[in-house]
Amino acid sequence: MTMSVKNAKINIGLMIALGAGFMTGCTSVATVGSEPAKGLENTEKIFIDVNGNINGMFITMTDENNPVLLFISGGPGVPEVWLNEAYAKRYQNKIAEHFTVCWWDYLGEGLSYNPGITSEEITIERLASDAHTVAEYLRSTYKKDKIYLMAHSSGTNLGLYLAQTNSEDFHCYFGMGQDFVKSDRRYEEGYHFMKEEFEKRGDKKALKEMNKLASFSEDGEFKIKKPESIRKNWEKILLMAGCGTTREMRSDVKDIFFKQMSCKCYTSSERINYWKGKSLLGKSEYRKYSVEPDKPALIPVYFSSGHYDYTTPVTLSNELYERLEAPEKKFYTFYNSAHSPLWEENELVIEAMLEHVR
């Protein structure tokens, strides 16, 4: 099916769905279409109209009585549902045994990518408005007064923003790998931790590679030697240290790109759009947003970080946690995880989440 034919069918479906919605009065959010998601058990791929744009999502449900969880991915622009397919044997994710999970591809990413979307229109305010619409859809569809909110990595910028501005839709907020401080402190915190790790292992090669990028001067000042390329090259050091996406991962190309491009839950064209969306979000206004640590949260917040996470350094996430005011808050550290505790220590993360489900 060509993209033009597919989009035409979606538009026809949208008009039919809107008409049905007006006649029944069941919900103000229209479902454009749905189909079983290949490669994922108990999962439906759904398209809905969100403020004039078609958004895609994967809904995984094992029990209609379970509470509903909205999951916001990181990147930005990197949906994560496919990890449940690609890493089912290594990192079995059992979260759908306890929640009906909405893996939402927000504006511009994955299923929601559209070449007509500009980077300028993807702002924190727009995504927050879209999140409210998606939450309204979930609440209405699954007959819940409120739902639970979870975000990962850069998605936690939107997640915490919602926790600070929206008490209508959500019970509480789970922030995994909470992002904080868009500055060189990320590299400084990582350098301290990884230097110790490399020295423990006697890995002189890795230490040398890291010192090519940054080091401390004799007077104790942290210096980045190649500011123009540090962001790109730092990922290699994180992977060498086991401080990247997972402790075991050593190659983004092998363990992220190729695995995502071979997953079944996205079609061939959707896989290509996935990476187009990542590029689009990387230039977006949302990408520039930084959390506001002194703005109180309106709902309880619960942070979880891997001890080895220096993608979004656990030390900085904890610093934000200490500053943030909330009706209730708690910080969980998972000592056998890097950046993805939900997959690396799945049962422990779920156990921690269920402490706060009512």
Side-chain angles (χ1 to χ4, degrees):
M1 182 185 295
T2 66
M3 288 300 293
S4 59
V5 173
K6 183 177 180 180
N7 288 339
K9 290 190 174 183
I10 286 176
N11 288 333
I12 292 170
L14 174 57
M15 290 187 286
I16 293 171
L18 283 170
F22 289 136
M23 287 187 289
T24 62
C26 291
T27 177
S28 60
V29 184
T31 301
V32 176
S34 66
E35 61 186 59
K38 295 179 180 179
L40 295 167
E41 294 182 357
N42 306 307
T43 302
E44 196 81 3
K45 185 191 292 187
I46 296 175
F47 295 89
I48 68 172
D49 172 54
V50 178
N51 299 325
N53 279 275
I54 304 303
N55 277 202
M57 59 185 65
F58 294 85
I59 305 285
T60 304
M61 180 173 67
T62 59
D63 185 338
E64 63 183 11
N65 296 314
N66 280 343
V68 176
L69 177 74
L70 173 61
F71 186 92
I72 298 174
S73 61
V78 182
E80 297 171 55
V81 67
W82 65 271
L83 293 169
N84 298 330
E85 177 186 342
Y87 290 99
K89 293 182 179 179
R90 188 185 304 180
Y91 304 118
Q92 189 174 11
N93 190 349
K94 299 179 180 179
I95 195 169
E97 293 180 9
H98 306 278
F99 295 89
T100 292
V101 187
C102 172
W103 305 87
W104 172 40
D105 288 10
Y106 53 76
L107 181 69
E109 70 167 5
L111 298 176
S112 305
Y113 174 78
N114 183 316
I117 298 170
T118 64
S119 58
E120 290 78 15
E121 66 185 288
I122 307 176
T123 63
I124 188 72
E125 294 83 8
R126 172 60 189 274
L127 293 181
S129 176
D130 287 356
H132 169 69
T133 301
V134 172
E136 179 187 349
Y137 170 82
L138 296 173
R139 290 165 56 194
S140 174
T141 301
Y142 299 102
K143 307 297 186 290
K144 306 294 182 184
D145 292 332
K146 292 188 178 184
I147 62 176
Y148 293 86
L149 175 66
M150 187 175 197
H152 183 210
S153 194
S154 71
T156 61
N157 292 292
L158 175 57
L160 185 57
Y161 181 88
L162 291 169
Q164 292 169 322
T165 58
N166 185 339
S167 60
E168 176 185 342
D169 294 321
F170 307 110
H171 286 296
C172 66
Y173 165 59
F174 301 105
M176 178 173 60
Q178 179 67 49
D179 197 15
F180 182 49
V181 182
K182 296 188 187 302
S183 72
D184 293 345
R185 289 193 59 205
R186 173 196 176 199
Y187 306 113
E188 184 174 353
E189 295 292 320
Y191 184 93
H192 280 298
F193 185 85
M194 292 187 290
K195 179 175 184 291
E196 187 174 330
E197 284 296 301
F198 293 145
E199 288 175 344
K200 280 181 190 175
R201 303 178 199 170
D203 193 339
K204 295 180 180 179
K205 179 182 177 182
L207 191 57
K208 182 179 179 181
E209 288 295 313
M210 185 170 68
N211 283 326
K212 288 180 182 178
L213 301 177
S215 65
F216 280 87
S217 63
E218 291 184 2
D219 60 2
E221 183 181 0
F222 183 69
K223 292 278 191 181
I224 293 178
K225 299 175 181 178
K226 298 180 179 180
E228 70 285 351
S229 61
I230 184 73
R231 182 178 167 191
K232 176 182 177 182
N233 293 324
W234 196 250
E235 178 69 12
K236 177 183 176 182
I237 308 303
L238 291 171
L239 291 167
M240 293 171 76
C243 295
T245 302
T246 71
R247 287 190 67 189
E248 292 82 7
M249 192 174 291
R250 294 295 180 267
S251 168
D252 281 344
V253 174
K254 175 184 174 183
D255 296 321
I256 297 290
F257 178 76
F258 285 129
K259 286 189 180 296
Q260 192 281 331
M261 287 298 287
S262 62
C263 71
K264 298 176 183 176
C265 60
Y266 288 99
T267 65
S268 297
S269 60
E270 288 166 353
R271 287 183 214 128
I272 294 170
N273 285 343
Y274 183 102
W275 297 103
K276 289 181 179 179
K278 181 180 184 299
S279 177
L280 174 67
L281 265 294
K283 304 174 214 171
S284 69
E285 292 300 307
Y286 170 57
R287 178 73 180 84
K288 303 170 187 175
Y289 175 78
S290 295
V291 299
E292 301 177 56
D294 299 318
K295 185 175 184 178
L298 304 178
I299 57 176
V301 297
Y302 308 107
F303 288 176
S304 59
S305 286
H307 175 69
Y308 293 87
D309 185 2
Y310 282 87
T311 299
T312 51
V314 57
T315 49
L316 296 181
S317 297
N318 194 62
E319 182 179 313
L320 171 61
Y321 167 81
E322 292 294 341
R323 290 178 60 177
L324 184 68
E325 292 183 14
E328 181 177 294
K329 64 179 184 176
K330 191 168 183 179
F331 194 99
Y332 296 89
T333 302
F334 295 92
Y335 288 93
N336 290 307
S337 295
H339 191 46
S340 306
L342 180 61
W343 286 270
E344 296 176 272
E345 295 183 81
N346 182 248
E347 292 186 1
L348 289 178
V349 171
I350 292 171
E351 183 181 321
M353 294 173 69
L354 292 177
E355 290 179 11
H356 309 291
V357 171
R358 57 181 186 270

